[in-house]
Amino acid sequence: MKKIFFASLFICSVFSISAQELVDFSQYFKEADLEGGFYLYDFKKKTYKISDKADFVRATSPASTFKIPNSLIALEVGAIKDENDIIKWDGQKRWLPVWDKDHNLTEAYKNSTVWFYQELARRIGEKNYNKYLKACKYGNHNIGKDLTTFWLGESSALQISPKNQLEFLVKLHEEKLPFSKRTFEIVKRVMIREQTADYTLRAKTGWAQAGGKDIGWFVGYVEKKDNLYFFALRVNKPLEKEMPEFVAKRIEITNRILKQMKVL
């Protein structure tokens, strides 16, 4: 029995190592003049394709990718009724003109409207965040001392790795998180970025400034008829390096890789 037991442990150990395949995606980042990594999980094969083992498990601010769990929690606790429930704009002008209006959840997710989610945070409260972030095993589930900035940039007490982003997205798809069927259905609708006859792409961008760098995320998953592919891209550049197209490059790099891998 002992021999069988240890043999089983060995097999599991070997599988867990072989399940992470290192792939060189460096050309895409070099051409974009950025540093970063790309990570993909093949749902059917249960395997990862990763560009950097160390970076895969290195945690940083989730920035606006946190709008995915934030939306789930807000709906579940009744901080907002549904994706069409409107929160009135407070009249304060912000750096993106598209934010300066009333928003519902669908618009706020699409526009990455910070003030909208900060208002949700006040309604959700510390107790609910602590409960759900721990239950979801989301990042280090640390909300720090400021309820309205704990996922943002330099103020971010909350930290998450690309690996954990993928794990969370898989559980979201499988609906193995502590939320109702209704909550899952609404958030999955809100997350849709692109829908064709061949696939549905659900995703979220994120942008933080921390440690002297701009950090850009693009995370999500592609649902096809025969399989699902979960991805997380994280790029960075020095703050002093001017790059007006930084925001667009996160999506551009991801799309190029996914097309090269025949996911899109």
Side-chain angles (χ1 to χ4, degrees):
M1 284 297 291
K2 285 186 178 180
K3 287 183 179 179
I4 294 171
F5 175 73
F6 286 118
S8 299
L9 283 181
F10 176 75
I11 291 167
C12 290
S13 175
V14 170
F15 177 77
S16 66
I17 293 169
S18 64
Q20 288 188 13
E21 179 188 349
L22 276 174
V23 181
D24 185 6
F25 295 116
S26 60
Q27 70 179 85
Y28 298 98
F29 296 94
K30 286 176 183 176
E31 289 169 6
D33 196 22
L34 291 168
E35 294 183 353
F38 180 84
Y39 310 93
L40 182 131
Y41 181 73
D42 184 313
F43 188 73
K44 185 182 285 186
K45 294 180 179 178
K46 309 299 180 193
T47 57
Y48 290 100
K49 292 186 186 296
I50 65 175
S51 61
D52 185 320
K53 283 187 177 182
D55 188 61
F56 188 40
V57 294
R58 184 175 62 86
T60 60
S61 166
S64 282
T65 66
F66 183 63
K67 287 182 171 64
I68 300 172
N70 221 356
S71 299
L72 289 163
I73 297 167
L75 287 162
E76 193 69 16
V77 304
I80 196 164
K81 294 175 185 176
D82 55 34
E83 70 267 48
N84 301 310
D85 194 12
I86 290 174
I87 296 181
K88 294 286 186 181
W89 174 46
D90 62 7
Q92 181 181 338
K93 290 190 178 294
R94 292 169 173 89
W95 70 284
L96 275 181
V98 72
W99 291 356
D100 298 341
K101 63 171 188 173
D102 299 347
H103 273 68
N104 61 28
L105 186 66
T106 301
E107 293 169 320
Y109 184 92
K110 179 183 177 181
N111 297 330
S112 223
T113 307
V114 172
W115 69 259
F116 181 95
Y117 279 89
Q118 289 180 314
E119 174 57 28
L120 288 186
R122 296 183 191 99
R123 298 180 183 187
I124 291 167
E126 181 180 340
K127 185 177 179 181
N128 281 320
Y129 275 129
N130 285 330
K131 172 186 173 182
Y132 283 102
L133 292 181
K134 286 177 183 176
C136 292
K137 296 181 180 178
Y138 186 89
N140 63 352
H141 38 80
N142 184 358
I143 67 170
K145 296 179 180 179
D146 191 330
L147 202 58
T148 62
T149 62
F150 68 83
W151 67 91
L152 298 170
E154 293 284 7
S155 303
S156 182
L158 188 62
Q159 305 275 295
I160 192 168
S161 68
K163 183 175 187 289
N164 194 196
Q165 291 268 25
L166 296 178
E167 291 167 341
F168 176 77
L169 289 168
V170 170
K171 286 186 284 188
L172 167 61
H173 163 71
E174 294 180 323
E175 301 188 1
K176 292 181 178 178
L177 296 168
F179 303 108
S180 68
K181 182 73 175 176
R182 176 181 181 271
T183 291
F184 282 122
E185 287 174 352
I186 292 173
V187 172
K188 286 180 181 180
R189 280 200 301 270
V190 169
M191 286 178 67
I192 294 174
R193 183 180 182 91
E194 188 179 348
Q195 200 161 29
T196 73
D198 298 319
Y199 65 83
T200 299
L201 169 63
R202 294 180 171 87
K204 187 71 195 79
T205 55
W207 179 13
Q209 294 185 332
K213 293 183 177 182
D214 281 306
I215 300 168
W217 286 100
F218 190 39
V219 308
Y221 63 100
V222 180
E223 186 173 358
K224 303 181 81 170
K225 291 177 182 177
D226 62 340
N227 203 357
L228 291 99
Y229 302 89
F230 298 81
F231 65 86
L233 170 131
R234 184 172 59 190
V235 292
N236 68 80
K237 71 170 185 64
L239 286 176
E240 62 271 15
K241 184 176 181 177
E242 293 291 330
M243 187 180 285
E245 67 275 29
F246 177 72
V247 171
K249 283 188 174 184
R250 299 168 301 178
I251 301 165
E252 179 186 320
I253 295 169
T254 302
N255 285 343
R256 287 187 65 199
I257 293 174
L258 291 177
K259 285 176 182 178
Q260 182 260 321
M261 298 178 77
K262 302 190 185 306
V263 172
L264 293 182

